[in-house]
Amino acid sequence: MAEKPLLEVRNLQTHFRTPDGVNRAVDGLSFHVNAGETVAIVGESGCGKSVTAMSILRLIPEPPGKIAGEILFQGKDLAKLSEPQMRAIRGNEVSMIFQEPMTSLNPVLTVGRQIGETVRLHQGLGRQQAEAKAVEMLRLVGIPAPERRVKEYPHQLSGGMRQRVMIAMALACNPQLLIADEPTTALDVTIQAQILDLMRDLKHRVGAAIVLITHDLGVVAEVAERVIVMYAGRKVEEARVEDLFANPKHPYTQGLLGAVPKLGSSLDGTTERLAEIPGLVPSLKKRIDGCVFAGRCPKVTELCRAVAPALEPKAPAHTAACHYAEKELLAA
Ligand SMILES: Nc1ncnc2c1ncn2[C@@H]1O[C@H](COP(=O)(O)OP(=O)(O)OP(=O)(O)O)[C@@H](O)[C@H]1O
Ligand SMILES: [Mg+2]
């Protein structure tokens, strides 16, 4: 049996109280991440990916939010820690990269100060050591002339450079877990590719485990080892990346894969529309008795509408929540 996972999320429920009912943004989600592993979380807009990330770091505003379940990081349950205890973990052992770097960088501090503050706070380095560390980190993420760039402000950098600064900041304290929420969506296609190359390269050099949140299956194929497919706040399928692409079991995943644009289609000018999955995500404010995907599933039957399918193994290291997903021979 493998060693204990670095992160183990058990039955996470993150609900929001709203004027017209409780929004079950994440509803009974369980997954794990091993040390050094890259796990992708995919799914359409609104399926609970960001709420999952924010829940792990306890960045959900409570109220209106409420988190239940266990978030075991190195055996410690983050759901039970006090805010000061969480502050010691955020940006240190666990750090996060957000979609839009401009909103997470402080416009009035130089990039050197921002990276420096993080290492001073968590590692107790002096001012000069902190500045040297900032230069080293900028160099690590491929920013040219880092000695000059540390003295600049975020607005003086391009979007791609700012995202590199965010990554530098996130990695400054050698986190064991990096959560990247749509780290490339705000960037244009060429820069996206550069940032992905950088993340892949850093994964090997830094060794941090990565939870990569994206709705871009092309990104998943390039970076992740394992994939979790979310739908309406739940996990509907999980598999190794090659198995998921070769043999998706859940009709939702099959739909998502059908919606992948052809490789290079956005580069040669003949952009194709994504093949959308017909129908809408169900309201998260209503209890659903049967399968959450029943309303949109091309293979739906009465059984699906009445009984929620359990998440169960369909092939080795491959689970899905569908009554009709075929089971392969499960080798012991
Ligand atoms: N602070 C909040 N108050 C109330 N509801 C919220 C709050 N934050 C998120 N939600 C709800 O939680 C659900 C999941 O949102 P989430 O941001 O996790 O989606 P997502 O999968 O990250 O989507 P996207 O791909 O668009 O980023 C949505 O219904 C959203 O409206
Ligand atoms: Mg999101």
Side-chain angles (χ1 to χ4, degrees), residues 256-328:
L256 282 181
L257 287 170
V260 180
K262 286 212 188 77
L263 208 61
S265 61
S266 54
L267 296 175
D268 63 12
T270 60
T271 315
E272 288 170 55
R273 269 184 68 81
L274 298 182
E276 280 164 18
I277 306 173
L280 291 176
V281 181
S283 165
L284 303 171
K285 292 174 190 160
K286 276 200 293 225
R287 270 261 169 249
I288 299 164
D289 288 329
C291 173
V292 278
F293 191 56
R296 296 169 79 189
C297 185
K299 300 173 184 163
V300 65
T301 66
E302 280 316 307
L303 173 66
C304 307
R305 292 204 176 89
V307 182
L311 204 52
E312 56 176 21
K314 303 288 185 186
H318 194 158
T319 57
C322 173
H323 292 304
Y324 297 104
E326 78 190 79
K327 276 192 188 179
E328 290 166 29

Side-chain angles (χ1 to χ4, degrees), residues 90-131:
R90 272 186 222 121
N92 193 22
E93 290 158 79
V94 184
S95 59
M96 183 152 174
I97 306 173
F98 296 91
Q99 176 170 345
E100 186 24 82
M102 209 46 196
T103 55
S104 357
L105 290 172
N106 186 333
V108 301
L109 292 183
T110 63
V111 300
R113 263 293 287 286
Q114 300 192 43
I115 300 172
E117 294 287 307
T118 309
V119 291
R120 286 178 72 175
L121 174 70
H122 290 299
Q123 302 191 330
L125 297 189
R127 215 175 50 82
Q128 280 190 345
Q129 289 167 303
E131 197 177 307

Side-chain angles (χ1 to χ4, degrees), residues 49-50 99 181-182 213:
K49 304 182 298 294
S50 295
Q99 176 170 345
D181 189 359
E182 308 272 4
I213 294 174

